Amino acid sequence: MSRLRAYIALGSNLGRRAANIRAAVRQLSREFELEATASLYETAPAYVDDQPPFLNTVAAVRASCSPRELLATLKRIEVEVGRLPSARWGPRAIDLDLVLYGDLQHSDASSGDAAPSLPLELPHPRMGERRFVLEPLAEIDPAARHPRSGATAAAMLAALPPEDAAPLQRVCPLGSDDDEGLVRWGRRTLLMGVLNVTPDSFSDGGRFDSAAAATAHALELEAAGADIIDVGAVSTRPGAVAVSPEEELRRAAPVVQALHASPLRAPISVDTSCAAVAAELAALGARVVNDVSGGAMDREMLPTVARLGLPAVLMHMRGDPATMASLARYDDVVADVRSELAGRLAAAQAAGVPKWDLIGDPGIGFAKTAPQSLALLRSLHRFGLSSASAAAAASDALDYPLLVGVSRKSFLGAAVGVELPPQERAWATAAACAASVPHADILRVHDVSQMRHVAAVADAIHRGGGAPPASTDNR
């Protein structure tokens, strides 16, 4: 049998939902060639209302076995991940449905054979009524076609009744694969607080290079409203000199270890372009990888992120901090940066990172002049999430959550027309942050208390609601 593309719908509403789906996708990648994953969605239960909400996604795999053999493998994976016998459409740790398998069609009811122990219907008989299947399916391939009706996934999604018209809630297990770590994109703008533990950062080098000082500042950032703490041990300012992985770990490891042992609740992000450093810091408690090179400076970074099972911010940059200023030459800065960033995000998926773990960053100020950075800020709608996956094919958006880092950067002084030291760029930072909402899902900032107010007002204008108090989450 030739190798065909199969679309598998995954769902979980018992136990550690995100962990269950992650485990099932990993098993699929061991059994078949995993080609794509959709975003992760939180959905209301269907058919039986009295049960917890689900997490859902769709994965595309390439297989050469028979449809019934493929279905048998899916049922085995369900058991291995932890599914127990349950009522039809009832709560379950994991559910794997074979939605499409090439253009194959099969119905046990019309085959005339004796009832098999493993019933098989292809395509899935209820796919056309399930938004929790169609939306992630259309996200992966809006042209995926129903072999009987000929309707595409995008067309079936658009044909759902009005009561099913609202897009589903996209989520990311940002802090952990437990439900308390689940971020619901679009509800409000999150703040990533900057914690530099370097001696030479452009803004605050040397201020927090001890574990005690860094921990105290991280707790202050969290109290002020930071949702994520981003620990950086290597300066990435223009012209910065690289340091060895050993030196980076010497600076960062005691800080990450101290933060993990502290009362800090916000997830710890590590700002590194070295795979070995990311792995070591993840073992000490880091929950997010923030790579300014988009995984380009270390070819092991993307496979390492996939193996760690952590969300990753991939930023656009050309060259490295020492050379990037000389590489700010573009035919069309918005189109070129968008294309190059899309390539890094696609490379991450090809390395095994599921789409729901990926966050894009256009890299404001990195291999960009001040006018180029401003042009990117004017076009953030081309980099973030599509408003609905049904329109993703026609949308110009990259369709990934978006992080924007403008805090205290030199282009702000150029825009103001006054040479400002980094610590005096808070007002200009505020203007750039406000202009980034609602397209930015995360703002990376130094002045968390002030930018929290900026984000709250911008959210109230653009999203219909401001940020909750700093002590609450975004659920």
Side-chain angles (χ1 to χ4, degrees):
M1 181 175 175
S2 60
R3 296 171 74 251
L4 301 175
R5 198 180 216 203
Y7 294 96
I8 314 299
L10 299 93
S12 173
N13 74 335
L14 281 183
R16 302 176 68 217
R17 299 179 297 168
N20 294 339
I21 289 181
R22 188 183 300 280
V25 168
R26 282 184 167 170
Q27 288 288 78
L28 286 173
S29 70
R30 295 184 184 110
E31 299 284 348
F32 310 106
E33 180 187 351
L34 180 65
E35 293 192 326
T37 50
S39 299
L40 195 59
Y41 295 84
E42 188 168 47
T43 68
Y47 310 116
V48 177
D49 295 336
D50 187 19
Q51 57 179 317
F54 278 80
L55 294 186
N56 293 99
T57 191
V58 166
V61 303
R62 188 73 59 173
S64 57
C65 56
S66 72
R68 204 174 297 278
E69 289 171 332
L70 175 52
L71 183 62
T73 300
L74 300 185
K75 296 307 169 186
R76 173 170 56 78
I77 291 174
E78 287 181 344
V79 173
E80 290 171 350
V81 173
R83 179 165 180 170
L84 300 173
S86 61
R88 190 183 191 194
W89 296 326
R92 68 215 80 167
I94 192 67
D95 188 36
L96 301 178
D97 282 340
L98 178 56
V99 178
L100 295 171
Y101 192 18
D103 59 359
L104 298 181
Q105 301 180 43
H106 180 86
S107 173
D108 286 338
S110 61
S111 67
D113 297 335
S117 58
L118 193 61
L120 173 65
E121 300 287 327
L122 265 178
H124 194 285
R126 291 184 177 82
M127 63 174 291
E129 66 190 43
R130 294 179 171 181
R131 187 176 194 97
F132 60 85
V133 171
L134 291 175
E135 188 159 335
L137 175 60
E139 182 186 339
I140 292 177
D141 184 2
R145 195 170 294 277
H146 193 289
R148 287 200 184 100
S149 70
T152 65
M156 288 186 283
L157 181 58
L160 288 173
E163 59 268 24
D164 293 328
L168 302 177
Q169 175 66 63
R170 298 200 199 192
V171 300
C172 173
L174 195 64
S176 72
D177 277 347
D178 297 317
D179 274 3
E180 56 264 28
L182 206 63
V183 165
R184 293 160 176 86
W185 296 121
R187 292 196 177 184
R188 68 177 178 91
T189 305
L190 304 185
L191 298 180
M192 174 184 276
V194 178
L195 179 58
N196 287 321
V197 296
T198 60
D200 57 343
S201 288
F202 81 97
S203 175
D204 50 8
R207 290 188 60 198
F208 311 112
D209 56 0
S210 73
T215 300
H217 187 55
L219 292 171
E220 290 171 357
L221 292 173
E222 182 178 49
D227 301 283
I228 308 160
I229 303 299
D230 190 42
V231 179
V234 176
S235 176
T236 54
R237 60 181 171 77
V241 178
V243 303
S244 67
E246 292 78 15
E247 174 61 16
E248 187 176 359
L249 279 171
R250 186 193 67 78
R251 297 173 182 177
V255 172
V256 171
Q257 194 166 26
L259 294 179
H260 187 59
S262 77
L264 186 76
R265 295 181 65 235
I268 303 164
S269 167
V270 288
D271 185 352
T272 183
S273 297
C274 177
V277 170
E280 289 285 345
L281 297 181
L284 295 176
R287 300 304 307 159
V288 181
V289 176
N290 181 13
D291 185 349
V292 298
S293 79
M297 289 174 61
D298 184 343
R299 65 182 183 181
E300 293 301 318
M301 177 60 89
L302 298 180
T304 297
V305 168
R307 176 176 57 81
L308 293 173
L310 296 181
V313 180
L314 301 185
M315 195 190 79
H316 174 272
M317 181 174 68
R318 287 178 172 179
D320 57 36
T323 63
M324 63 183 179
S326 66
L327 300 174
R329 297 185 297 274
Y330 303 90
D331 294 328
D332 179 330
V333 66
V334 174
D336 291 352
V337 170
R338 183 187 180 281
S339 176
E340 291 169 23
L341 180 57
R344 299 314 305 158
L345 293 163
Q349 286 207 71
V353 183
K355 185 179 179 183
W356 67 77
D357 276 339
L358 292 170
I359 299 163
D361 179 348
I364 302 298
F366 285 77
K368 286 96 179 172
T369 63
Q372 289 167 348
S373 290
L374 293 170
L376 289 169
L377 289 174
R378 293 186 201 106
S379 301
L380 290 181
H381 62 280
R382 296 184 63 184
F383 290 87
L385 289 166
S386 299
S387 58
S389 290
S395 170
D396 201 25
L398 277 180
D399 203 34
Y400 289 84
L402 186 65
L403 182 147
V404 174
V406 296
S407 185
R408 299 182 180 179
K409 290 186 175 177
S410 61
F411 83 95
L412 298 168
V416 171
V418 178
E419 189 68 32
L420 296 172
Q423 292 80 1
E424 295 181 18
R425 296 171 186 164
W427 287 105
T429 296
C433 285
S436 299
V437 177
H439 304 297
D441 296 285
I442 305 173
L443 295 172
R444 185 179 183 272
V445 298
H446 298 80
D447 304 298
V448 171
S449 180
Q450 296 92 325
M451 297 314 129
R452 178 177 170 269
H453 294 167
V454 170
V457 174
D459 280 341
I461 294 169
H462 295 291
R463 302 188 197 272
S471 61
T472 66
D473 61 24
N474 71 328
R475 287 181 246 174

